[in-house]
Amino acid sequence: MTDIVVVGAGLAGLVAAAEAADRGKSVVLVDQEGEQSLGGQAFWSLGGLFLVNSPEQRRLGVRDSLELARQDWFGSAQFDRPEDRWPRAWADAYLHFAAGEKRAWLREMGLRIFPVVGWAERGDGRAGGHGNSVPRFHITWGTGPGVVGPFERRVRAHAEAGRIRFAFRHRVDGLILEAGAVVGVHGAILEPSDVDRGRPSSRISVGEFDLRAQAVIVTAGGIGGDHDLVRAAWPERLGTPPRSMVSGVPAHVDGRMLRITQDAGASVINPDRMWHYVEGIRNWDPIWADHGIRILPGPSSLWLDATGRRLPAPLYPGFDTLGTLKHLRATGHDYSWFVLTQKIIEKELALSGSEQNPDLTGRDLKLLAKRIGKGAPGPVEAFKEHGEDFVVADTLAELVAGMNRLAGADPTGPAIDEQDLRRIIEERDREIANPFSKDAQVTALRGARNYLGDKLIRVASPHRILDPKAGPLIAVKLHILSRKTLGGLETDLQGRCLQPSPDGTGAPIPGLFAAGEVAGFGGGGMMGYNALEGTFLGGCLFSGRVAGRAAAAAV
């Protein structure tokens, strides 16, 4: 018997366990993977954190406020359902956290932030619509491992003191209910596995277990590793589900605990709200099956659909993820193209993930300095050289031939017409001759360079794509990348799982709490239909903290 069982040893689980143990409670931290996977998906992340009116923003001349952040959040979330009662409340609470104690709380634990703030998800072109009005994407110095580290240290200190016990390779198969309350978990003990983090581990059972507790906190992640579940939940508003995707998460992100917790009587809301990227590339050195990496693009690349048509305004790289996804699904093809230059790739193409950013992850200042020198970062150049989705050519004719070779690998892949592509590029290039333009993308990239952070390391100076001095030419075939579940277990502002109701008024289930992606990062979907980036890790931090403290108070 223990006070609290936490199911899932990802970031939300680590936070919840640490917060509960801080309050003197005994905790068992359960995970189906081995100890080598401690920290879950947060470990692989770039470590981006959504902060409002931070010192880093102010030093770069960015004027942010809680009011502006709320305008952006609610304009993006577009809450429109009766069951959005708790997601709305969580959104407000999280915004106050991001504008208030979040940075100081993390800093006190030793977390540090890279000084240049990124401008992610720039929006749909409307002040009151989707997107960030200002840069808010704060990269952790140390990326994902730098976010996980402070909480792993706290948890391990509690483990040494006997307050936390680990139960790795324990797969929860059900919740134990007595008299309507959750009083523990049961499941299978899996055989030991020493596979590297992220790689598939054995599912062979060698025993069974029951763990009794006064409270259970479910923090087991979403469904992004199971493409069949993603397709089953795919909403009609985003078009037809893709036939093929690449995976931004390992296979063990399988959504099992969503179903198990729902079977125990908990409400799941907004399962159709999801977040998948449209700039995925196949990892040339994969860790898990169908391993995809997201390109973090600056605004200069020319974006074409599979047939070679330019995407309409304002669907530019880095602006409106789900708006672009919806548009591309209407084309009938599962991929699209970036066309760019060496000059653009050197300044603008970054790759998401801790392993793709060794300078930031390793806190290596010498390696970091190379980002402002000539040449693209090493991992980007490695993809350009080895990645199957990259075409590099000195002439447009050679580029188109390479693009059509890649398209030919897909039986439905249409051919790109060289003359049509030349016309599109030349029309765009003529707009570069003046410091003003009717091309909204050219105007946007010039506007982006008014922000010092973008001018320094993120946005290339405007130039003609067909200028030989900017070459060689590069094309990148982009795939849909499965990633995040935005809906999930409905929770109140104490992280308590609720019974189903049409409008969020369901009663709490005694002894049952949830946090992280399995709870839609708070409330069953605090981001609504759209995310503002830097919010996934922050949602795990905030909801894990809330649930850990509330469960400790309840027992």
Side-chain angles (χ1 to χ4, degrees), residues 269-493:
I269 59 173
N270 303 316
D272 62 312
R273 292 178 182 170
M274 53 183 66
W275 190 256
H276 306 299
Y277 292 110
V278 280
E279 312 100 332
I281 52 177
R282 297 187 185 280
N283 194 342
W284 65 273
D285 187 18
I287 296 170
W288 52 80
D290 297 318
H291 188 178
I293 298 292
R294 187 204 173 195
I295 289 176
L296 301 173
S300 298
S301 296
L302 199 63
W303 205 335
L304 311 172
D305 68 20
T307 69
R309 292 177 300 221
R310 189 177 178 187
L311 269 58
L315 303 182
Y316 310 131
F319 274 66
D320 184 354
T321 293
L322 292 193
T324 307
L325 177 60
K326 178 180 179 181
H327 175 83
L328 290 174
R329 293 312 306 141
T331 69
H333 301 286
D334 291 345
Y335 68 91
S336 59
W337 296 99
F338 277 168
V339 172
L340 60 155
T341 65
Q342 179 67 22
K343 187 173 180 180
I344 292 173
I345 203 172
E346 289 180 358
K347 195 77 172 271
E348 296 197 10
L349 256 69
L351 301 171
S352 183
S354 55
E355 81 283 12
Q356 300 298 330
N357 294 273
D359 50 354
L360 294 166
T361 302
R363 300 176 174 93
D364 188 328
L365 292 173
K366 260 187 198 177
L367 196 56
L368 181 66
K370 293 183 179 179
R371 289 194 182 230
I372 57 176
K374 188 168 177 55
V380 175
E381 283 292 343
F383 265 90
K384 196 179 82 172
E385 180 179 351
H386 303 294
E388 62 183 270
D389 295 315
F390 282 72
V391 180
V392 183
D394 290 323
T395 69
L396 188 61
E398 294 169 340
L399 189 78
V400 170
M403 293 168 74
N404 286 335
R405 279 194 300 274
L406 289 186
D410 179 345
T412 66
I416 302 292
D417 183 86
E418 180 190 344
Q419 293 309 312
D420 285 347
L421 181 54
R422 184 178 297 277
R423 173 185 54 79
I424 290 170
I425 295 175
E426 287 179 344
E427 287 172 350
R428 179 262 185 207
D429 281 0
R430 292 187 189 103
E431 299 290 315
I432 299 297
N434 294 291
F436 42 85
S437 171
K438 74 173 183 180
D439 188 298
Q441 184 176 5
V442 173
T443 299
L445 70 93
R446 284 186 169 131
R449 285 176 61 84
N450 288 327
Y451 167 51
L452 180 60
D454 275 351
K455 187 171 185 178
L456 285 173
I457 64 169
R458 202 69 184 99
V459 181
S461 58
H463 62 277
R464 292 183 298 114
I465 288 175
L466 293 180
D467 182 353
K469 291 183 290 186
L473 293 167
I474 300 165
V476 187
K477 186 180 181 183
L478 305 171
H479 308 267
I480 295 169
L481 178 77
S482 68
R483 188 57 72 86
K484 296 297 181 185
T485 309
L486 296 188
L489 295 168
E490 186 179 20
T491 58
D492 64 13
L493 282 178

Side-chain angles (χ1 to χ4, degrees), residues 211-280:
L211 282 171
R212 295 273 173 159
Q214 297 183 66
V216 172
I217 307 175
V218 178
T219 65
I223 67 172
D226 187 327
H227 291 180
D228 289 336
L229 284 180
V230 170
R231 293 187 188 97
W234 195 273
E236 186 177 340
R237 66 180 178 275
L238 292 179
T240 57
R243 293 177 295 276
S244 67
M245 291 179 275
V246 292
S247 288
V249 295
H252 64 251
V253 184
D254 55 13
R256 289 182 73 256
M257 284 306 301
L258 265 172
R259 175 182 54 77
I260 289 168
T261 312
Q262 187 175 29
D263 288 348
S267 170
V268 172
I269 59 173
N270 303 316
D272 62 312
R273 292 178 182 170
M274 53 183 66
W275 190 256
H276 306 299
Y277 292 110
V278 280
E279 312 100 332

Side-chain angles (χ1 to χ4, degrees), residues 116 128 139 191 193 233 340 527 536-537:
V116 180
I139 297 175
E191 68 176 356
S193 175
L340 60 155
M527 299 174 202
F536 303 128
L537 293 179

